[in-house]
């Protein structure tokens, strides 16, 4: 299905005529980015950059861990979100130890509030997840997972993003991997930074 972005006219010519928006109408009103597509209505509150801290655990790990996370949602006027997340492990003093998870992808919004997400990780995992967006929550579960020959054996995930207020986003991630059933893996509390 082809659903073009609304026509966008910038105040000044640019070699990059289709800017992305990280935040709602302010950028669009200033002529810097397109207005959000109508199908993005259930997820408009997610637009922007979020940063915070979280805790992780899994039976195959020797210990629980603390991490920092940054998640960015943006759009270019079409009915999908660009999604990017990165995390790094923290030591006992809250100082960064090393990069941890990183992923990027696209969330495709459907007229009935369904979400189809494509998420890829540099560790050789590509997920297709499906779910629903409503009332400030997006709940996504695995539809299919593709793995490169040397990737960790991940068979299923569930991700929940919940806006607890306009500037706070909670994230929980359940995972089935390396012969373990689907269970809690990560949780974080993120604050909007833009």
């Amino acid at each position: 299905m082809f659903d073009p972005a609304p026509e966008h006219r910038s105040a000044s010519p640019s070699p990059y005529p289709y800017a992305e928006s990280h935040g709602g109408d302010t950028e669009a009103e200033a002529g810097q980015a397109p207005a959000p597509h109508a199908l993005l209505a259930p997820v408009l509150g997610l637009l922007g950059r979020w940063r915070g801290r979280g805790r992780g655990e899994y039976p195959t790990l020797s210990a629980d861990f603390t991490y920092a996370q940054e998640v960015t949602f943006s759009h270019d006027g079409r009915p999908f979100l660009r999604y990017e997340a990165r995390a790094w492990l923290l030591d006992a003093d809250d100082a960064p130890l090393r990069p941890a998870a990183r992923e990027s992808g696209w969330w495709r919004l459907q007229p009935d509030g369904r979400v189809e997400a494509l998420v890829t990780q540099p560790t050789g995992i590509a997920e297709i997840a499906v779910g629903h967006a409503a009332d400030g929550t997006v709940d996504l579960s695995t539809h299919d997972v593709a793995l490169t020959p040397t990737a960790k054996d991940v068979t299923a995930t569930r991700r929940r993003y919940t806006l607890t207020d306009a500037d706070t986003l909670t994230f929980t991630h359940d995972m089935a991997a390396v012969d373990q059933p689907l269970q809690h893996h990560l949780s974080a509390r993120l604050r909007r930074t833009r």
Side-chain angles (χ1 to χ4, degrees):
M1 172 175 125
F2 177 70
D3 191 1
E7 194 168 313
H8 174 66
R9 301 259 186 237
S10 177
S12 61
S14 167
Y16 307 104
Y18 299 104
E20 288 196 12
S21 177
H22 293 94
D25 296 328
T26 306
E27 291 171 325
E29 288 171 4
Q32 298 170 357
H37 191 283
L39 288 179
L40 296 182
V43 295
L44 286 178
L46 296 176
L47 289 174
R49 179 171 293 141
W50 303 83
R51 291 184 179 145
R53 301 284 189 270
R55 299 268 314 150
E57 62 185 347
Y58 208 68
T60 59
L61 300 176
S62 60
D64 295 357
F65 58 92
T66 302
Y67 68 99
Q69 183 174 26
E70 177 182 85
V71 177
T72 304
F73 295 98
S74 62
H75 73 90
D76 65 2
R78 293 180 286 171
F80 49 80
L81 291 183
R82 182 177 147 263
Y83 162 79
E84 185 171 4
R86 63 189 187 125
W88 48 98
L89 296 178
L90 301 173
D91 68 15
D93 296 322
D94 221 23
L97 284 172
R98 66 174 175 81
R102 186 152 199 164
E103 56 188 30
S104 63
W106 304 95
W107 292 12
R108 300 175 57 211
L109 280 288
Q110 305 302 310
D112 61 358
R114 283 182 303 118
V115 181
E116 300 172 349
L118 297 93
V119 179
T120 61
Q121 300 172 20
T123 54
I125 301 166
E127 298 177 56
I128 297 174
V130 295
H132 203 267
D135 303 321
T137 297
V138 178
D139 194 337
L140 299 169
S141 295
T142 299
H143 176 74
D144 202 2
V145 178
L147 304 171
T148 62
T150 59
K152 176 173 59 177
D153 185 27
V154 173
T155 56
T157 66
R158 181 178 180 203
R159 302 158 191 258
R160 289 174 304 285
Y161 302 81
T162 302
L163 286 168
T164 58
D165 63 49
D167 292 318
T168 306
L169 178 65
T170 61
F171 166 70
T172 58
H173 183 199
D174 301 337
M175 181 173 68
V178 292
D179 298 322
Q180 299 292 318
L182 187 67
Q183 60 193 287
H184 177 72
H185 177 42
L186 304 170
S187 59
R189 179 182 167 91
L190 311 174
R191 298 286 298 164
R192 184 187 304 277
T193 63
R194 75 166 185 185

